[in-house]
Amino acid sequence: MGRNVLQSSLLGAGFSIIFQILCRILTFGINAYIVRNVGREVLGIMNVRLLLLESTLLFLSREAINRAALSANSQQRDKCSWSQLINQMWLTVPICAALCVPCLHIWLHWLSAVDAPYAAQYEFACYAVALSCVLELLAESAVFVAQVFCFVKLKIVLNTLHILVRSVIFLWIVTGDRSAAITAFAIAQLASALTIVLGQYGFFYYYIRRFNEHKTQREARKSKATQELNSWERSLFEHMDDFPFTKLSELLPGIMKSDNDNAGFFNRELQTLTLSFVKQGVLKQILTEGEKYVMSVSPVLSFGEQATYDVVNNLGSMAARFIFRPIEDSAYFYFTQTLTRDTRLQKQPVERVRQASSVLHNLLLGVSSIGLLAFTFGQNYSHTLLLLYGGEDFVAGGLPQRLLQWHCLAIYLLSVNGISEGYMFATNTSRDIDKYNYLMAIFSISFLVLSYILTGIFGPVGFIFANCINMLGRIVYSTWYIRQQYQPLSLNPLQGLWPGKLFGGTLMLAGVICYWYQHAVFATHLGVGVAMGVLCLFAWALAHRDLMQLAWKYGRRIKIE
């Protein structure tokens, strides 16, 4: 296989960050419109209750299967055929359909009731969201193939189109009838799911047909075949000799024939690993969406207060959505393809291990620096951001500001936890994963208990306190695992957690100066923040010139490609 996994991972992260920023700006704009014109209660129903249903169904249906399948990388493909991988990916559809039954019953009958004006719309939306999840998973095998063969731009284009279709349809309906906002949300979800399915299969119909033509031409006229391709098609077909599909129907279950006649419909080792990830996935979902489950099950907050928390949580999670998540996904893919899960690092190729250590160090350095920037400037600019977003009525009382200030601490912990835990998941054996599942169970239970107790004491801010305590415990364990792995090799990628004296000192200075000008006129306050931000970025670039050169190198490559 000639594909450069590291390059693909970096390009994937870069494109994801750029396109997600553009699309999330649109999403935040829609939320601001709802807060100002439709009402917080509607936003709470959509963004907390209905999106929680979507997140629960999709995560539990595909997360474990996808992670296990990615682990069957090129070094282990002799144990697991492509036909078995495709069959495994199609399990997501019946699993999701089966999960829809209990989830819909819970969302419609067990959770706190929705008020009469929106009850009928809410019921329709629950069914529509469940159906959209099943529809989206019809394309999961194609999504998996695109990820393995590094079709980075396809993923970004379709994700962008998914968000644009959903946003345009929602706004088109809501601007005509504001009272139909929840129904508009449901219809938009169905349309965006169809966009993903049609986009994935449409691309692979074109790609497989052109790839077959390319192979035929290459065999007939090897020197001339590549000259007839344009630069875009050449980038698609280069280093793809191991692409196993010859027709679109082979992306369906049971169609593709295995090279080994004795191979079963499913791979037993892959199913064992999947089961390990299933246990872990349930617990991780509780940790990720725990506060929403607590809000939905217990009447701690009204839908309006839930919307306030959700808006602040989304604003505070901008870094996670725009930057951390794409980096984590690309990093997980890189580590699964570079390091072998069931082999000690001492017995793996030295060059690969050193490269993985260097990448992990740089990732930790980058995300932790972003987290520290968010924490420093978030303390002094939370009120300004929320005022611009929701207006005077939204920030009245001071609760949104306190929520966002404390959430900035969670951003730093989230940045470190995402990379360290992602590396651990990518390199754990099935036995290690099972061991960690017990710890995850403890983390999950303690998080729910802490959320309930701290919310009673501190109000909505208690959710953030519980989340910070939980993430801190997970960081301690994952960093201990990384240290144990690399210590015998005299490598320490955890040094990336320390951003350096120059950057740290500049951050402290910037925090003090911004606090001093916190109550100045708006223009002065904003200007000081911009100046201090530029100063901090300059200090970081000065302290890490080698990484700046690497970023410049791959930035130019993104431009070229």
Side-chain angles (χ1 to χ4, degrees):
M1 187 188 297
R3 292 179 297 280
N4 188 321
V5 175
L6 176 57
Q7 176 185 329
S8 174
S9 300
L10 290 171
L11 291 177
F15 279 120
S16 293
I17 291 169
I18 293 170
F19 279 92
Q20 284 203 38
I21 286 175
L22 296 176
C23 292
R24 291 296 178 180
I25 288 173
L26 179 59
T27 302
F28 280 114
I30 292 173
N31 287 346
Y33 173 82
I34 296 171
V35 168
R36 291 172 179 262
N37 298 282
V38 180
R40 295 189 201 180
E41 186 174 357
V42 172
L43 186 63
I45 294 171
M46 293 190 306
N47 283 14
V48 177
R49 185 67 65 82
L50 293 175
L51 286 184
L52 181 62
L53 175 60
E54 180 195 40
S55 170
T56 301
L57 289 173
L58 290 179
F59 191 93
L60 295 182
S61 300
R62 71 182 176 192
E63 180 73 6
I65 290 175
N66 185 266
R67 283 185 176 269
L70 281 175
S71 297
N73 56 32
S74 59
Q75 301 162 1
Q76 301 164 323
R77 193 57 48 74
D78 56 330
K79 299 179 182 179
C80 186
S81 67
W82 265 108
S83 61
Q84 290 173 327
L85 286 171
I86 295 299
N87 296 337
Q88 186 85 356
M89 297 310 297
W90 272 94
L91 283 176
T92 57
V93 177
I95 289 173
C96 184
L99 286 172
C100 284
V101 177
C103 285
L104 282 173
H105 182 74
I106 292 170
W107 258 252
L108 291 172
H109 302 291
W110 285 15
L111 301 184
S112 56
V114 175
D115 292 338
Y118 308 111
Q121 291 187 53
Y122 172 72
E123 183 177 357
F124 169 73
C126 284
Y127 286 110
V129 167
L131 179 58
S132 71
C133 291
V134 176
L135 288 174
E136 185 172 334
L137 291 175
L138 291 174
E140 193 63 20
S141 62
V143 172
F144 173 72
V145 172
Q147 186 173 9
V148 171
F149 287 96
C150 303
F151 291 116
V152 175
K153 295 178 183 178
L154 171 68
K155 175 184 175 183
I156 305 308
V157 168
L158 289 183
N159 284 349
T160 303
L161 191 61
H162 169 264
I163 294 173
L164 287 175
V165 167
R166 186 173 64 184
S167 302
V168 169
I169 291 177
F170 176 80
L171 285 175
W172 177 58
I173 297 174
V174 169
T175 51
D177 183 5
R178 294 181 183 179
S179 64
I182 298 176
T183 301
F185 175 86
I187 295 172
Q189 286 289 114
L190 288 169
S192 60
L194 283 173
T195 301
I196 290 180
V197 175
L198 295 175
Q200 287 287 348
Y201 285 109
F203 170 80
F204 277 106
Y205 172 78
Y206 163 81
Y207 182 84
I208 292 173
R209 183 171 58 85
R210 290 290 292 130
F211 185 68
N212 290 335
E213 293 174 2
H214 169 67
K215 286 196 297 185
T216 303
Q217 291 175 354
R218 187 176 59 181
E219 290 172 2
R221 297 172 297 174
K222 291 186 177 180
S223 60
K224 197 173 180 181
T226 54
Q227 295 174 3
E228 293 178 352
L229 297 172
N230 58 47
S231 59
W232 180 70
E233 290 182 321
R234 191 179 299 116
S235 68
L236 286 177
F237 300 137
E238 281 181 346
H239 309 305
M240 296 294 285
D241 294 333
D242 57 339
F243 187 76
F245 302 96
T246 57
K247 52 186 178 180
L248 184 65
S249 60
E250 288 179 341
L251 292 174
L252 301 176
I255 302 296
M256 190 176 189
K257 294 182 180 179
S258 176
D259 296 334
N260 184 0
D261 295 333
N262 296 322
F265 195 78
F266 297 110
N267 182 277
R268 183 172 296 177
E269 292 183 15
L270 186 60
Q271 286 183 308
T272 302
L273 185 59
T274 301
L275 288 174
S276 297
F277 278 120
V278 165
K279 304 170 196 172
Q280 194 179 85
V282 173
L283 299 172
K284 187 176 180 181
Q285 177 67 5
I286 294 173
L287 293 174
T288 304
E289 304 282 10
E291 68 272 11
K292 290 185 179 180
Y293 287 119
V294 172
M295 284 190 287
S296 297
V297 173
S298 175
V300 177
L301 303 174
S302 66
F303 280 117
E305 290 172 323
Q306 289 179 31
T308 301
Y309 177 84
D310 183 69
V311 166
V312 173
N313 187 54
N314 284 336
L315 286 171
S317 301
M318 286 176 69
R321 292 173 184 270
F322 295 163
I323 302 174
F324 299 151
R325 185 60 187 268
I327 292 175
E328 289 166 18
D329 289 345
S330 298
Y332 180 83
F333 175 71
Y334 165 75
F335 289 126
T336 57
Q337 305 299 299
T338 304
L339 300 176
T340 304
R341 186 181 290 275
D342 295 316
T343 306
R344 289 173 177 256
L345 292 185
Q346 295 94 314
K347 297 182 180 180
Q348 298 190 41
V350 176
E351 187 59 34
R352 285 194 175 194
V353 173
R354 288 189 175 277
Q355 186 189 69
S357 174
S358 175
V359 169
L360 181 57
H361 173 277
N362 293 338
L363 286 171
L364 289 172
L365 177 62
V367 297
S368 62
S369 299
I370 295 170
L372 289 172
L373 277 169
F375 177 73
T376 300
F377 288 92
Q379 304 310 304
N380 301 302
Y381 288 89
S382 294
H383 182 270
T384 304
L385 179 61
L386 292 168
L387 181 64
L388 293 173
Y389 185 86
E392 288 283 355
D393 291 339
F394 183 70
V395 297
L399 175 61
Q401 180 181 348
R402 290 197 303 275
L403 283 169
L404 188 54
Q405 285 175 330
W406 281 107
H407 199 88
C408 290
L409 173 61
I411 290 175
Y412 172 73
L413 296 175
L414 185 69
S415 67
V416 176
N417 180 69
I419 296 298
S420 61
E421 198 171 66
Y423 173 85
M424 184 177 69
F425 290 158
T427 56
N428 270 163
T429 63
S430 296
R431 188 177 178 183
D432 290 334
I433 293 171
D434 286 333
K435 287 181 180 178
Y436 189 63
N437 285 337
Y438 293 109
L439 277 177
M440 287 284 280
I442 296 173
F443 287 141
S444 301
I445 294 170
S446 62
F447 173 68
L448 294 176
V449 172
L450 281 171
S451 295
Y452 187 81
I453 295 173
L454 295 177
T455 303
I457 300 172
F458 300 104
V461 180
F463 283 124
I464 299 175
F465 290 162
N467 201 22
C468 289
I469 294 170
N470 180 267
M471 279 192 291
L472 189 59
R474 291 161 64 185
I475 288 171
V476 169
Y477 184 84
S478 58
T479 52
W480 173 82
Y481 169 84
I482 293 170
R483 182 175 177 80
Q484 292 295 110
Q485 268 208 323
Y486 284 97
Q487 197 169 26
L489 302 173
S490 299
L491 297 172
N492 187 14
L494 295 177
Q495 288 179 343
L497 292 173
W498 171 241
K501 294 180 181 179
L502 178 61
F503 181 64
T506 308
L507 278 178
M508 293 178 65
L509 177 64
V512 171
I513 293 176
C514 289
Y515 179 78
W516 183 264
Y517 284 94
Q518 188 173 10
H519 300 291
V521 294
F522 178 79
T524 303
H525 179 52
L526 192 61
V528 169
V530 171
M532 290 299 101
V534 171
L535 179 64
C536 289
L537 291 176
F538 178 75
W540 192 92
L542 196 62
H544 306 289
R545 288 186 290 271
D546 53 337
L547 280 182
M548 292 301 297
Q549 292 173 356
L550 184 65
W552 176 259
K553 171 186 173 183
Y554 281 99
R556 292 186 62 188
R557 187 161 301 185
I558 289 175
K559 273 188 178 179
I560 293 172
E561 297 189 9

